[in-house]
Amino acid sequence: KTCKPGYRLSLAGICKAKSTVQPKILFSNKYYIRLVDFHGNSEIFAKNQTNTVAIDYDYLTECAFWSDITKYGSSLRKLCRNDDDKTTEILNLVTLQNPDGLAVDWIGRNLYW
């Protein structure tokens, strides 16, 4: 069995990525957005949210995008790992109503909700 370029064959016969980057999961509990690795170590990526619903991550820019939905209004937010001040940017749209799904288009470089 052979693997595609960028992957190696493990002893179990499974193709695995040749990468030194450790996988992490980005998730929210409404109030915080956290990054957790497979060893259980976690870090807070963003805090003081009201009701985080949808999240996606752009690996090229190292930015996370999410929707924060309240009964008073909704917003799309952005935070990049490489920002020194860790300031959340609010991407508001006047007509934005309850964006409960979100996706970064890695090819077209668009954000969909």
Side-chain angles (χ1 to χ4, degrees):
K1 181 176 178 179
T2 60
C3 298
K4 296 196 179 234
Y7 293 83
R8 63 173 176 76
L9 188 62
S10 72
L11 295 175
I14 299 169
C15 294
K16 294 189 174 191
K18 291 181 186 175
S19 176
T20 58
V21 176
Q22 294 297 313
K24 293 184 179 181
I25 297 172
L26 183 69
F27 76 95
S28 172
N29 71 347
K30 288 176 59 172
Y31 311 110
Y32 298 97
I33 298 174
R34 293 182 179 267
L35 281 166
V36 179
D37 66 19
F38 289 168
H39 301 290
N41 303 312
S42 70
E43 65 182 271
I44 294 176
F45 185 81
K47 58 185 175 180
N48 300 327
Q49 303 304 303
T50 304
N51 185 26
T52 301
V53 175
I55 306 173
D56 203 359
Y57 191 79
D58 183 4
Y59 290 92
L60 182 66
T61 61
E62 297 185 0
C63 296
F65 297 86
W66 66 93
S67 60
D68 199 14
I69 300 174
T70 71
K71 64 182 178 180
Y72 303 110
S74 301
S75 63
L76 296 179
R77 298 174 184 243
K78 172 184 171 184
L79 179 62
C80 301
R81 288 184 61 92
N82 53 8
D83 286 349
D84 292 333
D85 59 0
K86 297 290 182 201
T87 302
T88 299
E89 182 180 347
I90 300 175
L91 312 170
N92 268 350
L93 300 171
V94 175
T95 59
L96 187 64
Q97 293 181 355
N98 301 331
D100 58 359
L102 188 83
V104 174
D105 177 358
W106 298 344
I107 298 171
R109 311 302 311 148
N110 296 307
L111 180 65
Y112 296 99
W113 62 91

